[in-house]
Amino acid sequence: QVQLVESGGGLVQPGGSLRLSCAASERGFAINSMGWYRQAPGKQREWVATITSGGTTNYADSVKGRFTISRDNSGSTVHLQMNSLKAEDTAVYYCRMVTHLIYWGQGTLVTVSS
């Protein structure tokens, strides 16, 4: 059974940092890409960052320069290092894995507040 296990969410002060992780049960060579999306209260889900099997990364303009997406050596775990967090980064963050199908994690809440 394919599953994505997310961790790392929580409460952080503005300007602080958090590191999200997502471990996939799928073997790395079967994964085309992994990424992160987020959904703030009352808003639509939006794309945040993606990393391909070849290591190419892409970021939404709103997080570029502050967030970094990366993979472990297995290729089946993705991380999102979030620095210089702002209140507008508050959202539920969802891990996404693309093979021949698309899988979503359950989401982890990130709250940026003083």
Side-chain angles (χ1 to χ4, degrees):
Q1 191 85 312
V2 175
Q3 62 178 8
L4 301 176
V5 180
E6 300 169 327
S7 62
L11 175 65
V12 65
Q13 298 284 330
S17 299
L18 282 176
R19 187 172 189 252
L20 307 182
S21 297
C22 175
S25 60
E26 193 77 5
R27 289 180 293 180
F29 65 79
I31 302 172
N32 294 128
S33 68
M34 296 186 74
W36 292 93
Y37 286 67
R38 68 186 182 186
Q39 186 167 25
K43 296 185 177 181
Q44 296 181 329
R45 188 174 299 185
E46 64 177 354
W47 168 70
V48 175
T50 300
I51 186 166
T52 70
S53 60
T56 301
T57 59
N58 290 283
Y59 300 92
D61 288 341
S62 59
V63 306
K64 191 171 297 183
R66 300 187 297 119
F67 291 9
T68 303
I69 188 170
S70 62
R71 300 172 301 161
D72 68 359
N73 291 332
S74 73
S76 59
T77 299
V78 66
H79 308 279
L80 185 68
Q81 178 65 47
M82 305 184 294
N83 299 325
S84 302
L85 284 162
K86 307 173 181 179
E88 52 262 44
D89 294 319
T90 295
V92 176
Y93 284 71
Y94 297 91
C95 179
R96 188 186 76 153
M97 177 180 71
V98 181
T99 57
H100 61 291
L101 297 172
I102 298 175
Y103 301 90
W104 292 90
Q106 68 177 25
T108 184
L109 177 63
V110 172
T111 302
V112 185
S113 176
S114 60

